[in-house]
Amino acid sequence: MFGAGVRAGMYPINDKDAYWYICFNAQEGAPRPVDAADCVAEALAAVDGWSWGIQQAVNNTDPDSISRAAIRDRWTRGSFGQGCITLVGDAAHPMTPNLGQGGCTALEDAVILARQLAPLLSANSNGNNTRKGAVDTAAV
């Protein structure tokens, strides 16, 4: 959901819980809420008049469980890795939640792929197959 300087979203976790976020543009050094009730008021003000259930999600959330942080997108150029080490996620390029969901899904996919490839790569221990052969087998 997008508005003027505001982005919000909700993702189901299970049948009764949802993850929600509200991002809004703020001036550098703007005063921050001092308590949980102020965080709720700030969130509701950002999406005042919106539908899609975002206001209900805020109102149905325990105020003490709401997390508020100053975040920003940081676009970088160049490599995120060197040798066998690669930075991923916020370590490489922090971004607001509306942009980060695709990256998160890609990481989840990578974990599943690694779990599927691991048995094939461990079969390489007999010395008869190369890693390339194991990966080619997985691709077939």
Side-chain angles (χ1 to χ4, degrees):
M1 297 170 265
F2 293 88
V6 181
R7 295 153 325 273
M10 294 186 298
Y11 300 92
I13 295 172
N14 56 40
D15 289 343
K16 72 173 204 151
D17 296 315
Y19 159 74
W20 60 265
Y21 66 87
I22 299 171
C23 299
F24 54 90
N25 297 344
Q27 294 296 320
E28 194 73 34
R32 298 175 52 125
V34 295
D35 60 23
D38 287 347
C39 283
V40 169
E42 181 182 54
L44 289 171
V47 294
D48 185 38
W50 289 29
S51 55
W52 303 295
I54 190 70
Q55 292 174 323
Q56 292 85 350
V58 174
N59 283 320
N60 290 333
T61 302
D62 175 5
D64 290 324
S65 70
I66 295 175
S67 172
R68 184 196 187 280
I71 59 174
R72 65 188 67 185
D73 301 325
R74 181 178 71 209
W75 303 101
T76 58
R77 295 180 186 221
S79 173
F80 293 122
Q82 182 176 2
C84 64
I85 309 262
T86 300
L87 297 175
V88 296
D90 285 349
H93 51 88
M95 58 186 63
T96 56
N98 60 298
L99 297 175
Q101 291 300 316
C104 180
T105 302
L107 291 173
E108 291 170 353
D109 290 347
V111 169
I112 299 301
L113 178 61
R115 287 179 181 160
Q116 296 300 310
L117 291 176
L120 296 170
L121 293 175
S122 66
N124 186 27
S125 64
N126 67 15
N128 294 334
N129 296 325
T130 64
R131 285 183 184 234
K132 181 183 181 316
V135 173
D136 287 345
T137 301
V140 174

